[in-house]
């Protein structure tokens, strides 16, 4: 599953983070945005679609060389990214390696600070991804496989891997690897009467 990472030894992948266009290869920016729009049922004002469009743009601008020529495009990206965070409640930086046909279903309370999120993955509101504890280096973040379905309020933290084709239930907290094809849910709620029935 996940290779064991030394928190004190910065990997090359982190050194290279954000220095290149990490959009899926073989597709132009416009093609990716069109595909994301189709994934979001053509709803161009969908908060999820807006977050993905800004993410794709943020990666595309990294193809512009030299850095000085890229500067105005970067200024636009940072402004748009901040607006998406404020208006949509979705934090998704361009440094997350994002697959194709990812769908963000709802707005609000989303911190998607993963290493990568695979193709055809569905995400719902109040999802949190990131490091396990304060002070952990940023490379100790989760990697989400393809075709995963992440429920409302899921918390996925640490340098772990969620395998392909996994279902993560609502309000589940995960800090360890999940094998491909798994479903993770909370225990069944206990239902009991509010007060004893009359005799």
């Amino acid at each position: 599953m996940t290779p064991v990472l030394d928190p004190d030894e910065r990997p090359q992948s982190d050194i290279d983070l954000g220095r290149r266009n990490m959009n899926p290869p073989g597709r132009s920016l416009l093609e990716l945005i069109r595909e994301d729009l189709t994934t979001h049922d053509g709803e161009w004002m969908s908060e999820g679609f807006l977050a993905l469009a800004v993410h794709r743009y943020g990666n595309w601008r990294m193809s512009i060389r030299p850095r000085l020529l890229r500067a105005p495009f970067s200024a636009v990206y940072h402004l748009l990214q901040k607006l998406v965070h404020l208006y949509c409640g979705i934090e998704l930086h361009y440094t997350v390696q994002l697959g194709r046909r990812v769908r963000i279903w709802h707005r609000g309370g989303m911190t998607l600070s993963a290493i990568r999120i695979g193709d055809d993955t569905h995400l719902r509101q109040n999802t949190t991804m990131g490091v396990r504890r304060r002070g952990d280096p940023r490379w100790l973040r989760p990697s989400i496989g393809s075709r995963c379905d992440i429920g409302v309020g899921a918390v996925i933290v640490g340098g772990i891997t969620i395998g392909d084709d996994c279902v993560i239930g609502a309000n589940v907290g995960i800090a360890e690897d999940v094998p491909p094809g798994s479903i993770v849910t909370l225990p069944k709620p206990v239902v009991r009467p509010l007060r004893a029935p009359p005799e």
Side-chain angles (χ1 to χ4, degrees), residues 124-144:
R124 289 169 186 81
Q125 73 268 27
N126 296 321
T127 297
T128 300
M129 301 173 185
V131 296
R132 186 179 305 187
R133 60 183 67 85
R134 186 178 61 202
D136 281 354
R138 67 182 181 184
W139 58 86
L140 293 182
R141 294 177 292 148
S143 180
I144 312 299

Side-chain angles (χ1 to χ4, degrees), residues 44-126:
W44 64 275
M45 285 302 290
S46 159
E47 290 87 352
F49 167 69
L50 294 175
L52 291 182
V54 171
H55 178 278
R56 303 296 191 197
Y57 170 81
N59 272 286
W60 168 82
R61 75 188 163 90
M62 296 307 295
S63 302
I64 300 172
R65 301 281 189 246
R67 186 175 180 179
L68 189 60
L69 187 60
R70 186 171 69 238
F73 296 91
S74 293
V76 170
Y77 163 71
H78 289 296
L79 174 62
L80 291 174
Q81 196 270 334
K82 181 57 70 175
L83 289 173
V84 163
H85 191 190
L86 292 173
Y87 171 71
C88 305
I90 300 171
E91 184 177 346
L92 176 63
H93 295 284
Y94 81 100
T95 51
V96 177
Q97 186 177 353
L98 196 65
R100 293 174 56 189
R101 298 174 302 277
V102 172
R103 176 146 190 180
I104 300 175
W105 279 89
H106 308 288
R107 61 168 288 156
M110 304 191 75
T111 302
L112 305 177
S113 186
I115 294 291
R116 66 176 290 273
I117 298 172
D119 298 339
D120 302 296
T121 288
H122 291 244
L123 305 163
R124 289 169 186 81
Q125 73 268 27
N126 296 321

Side-chain angles (χ1 to χ4, degrees), residues 11 27-28 35 71 75 93 142 162 174 182 192:
R27 295 264 170 154
S28 69
E35 186 175 62
H93 295 284
I162 306 297
I174 302 174
S182 299
R192 60 181 185 272

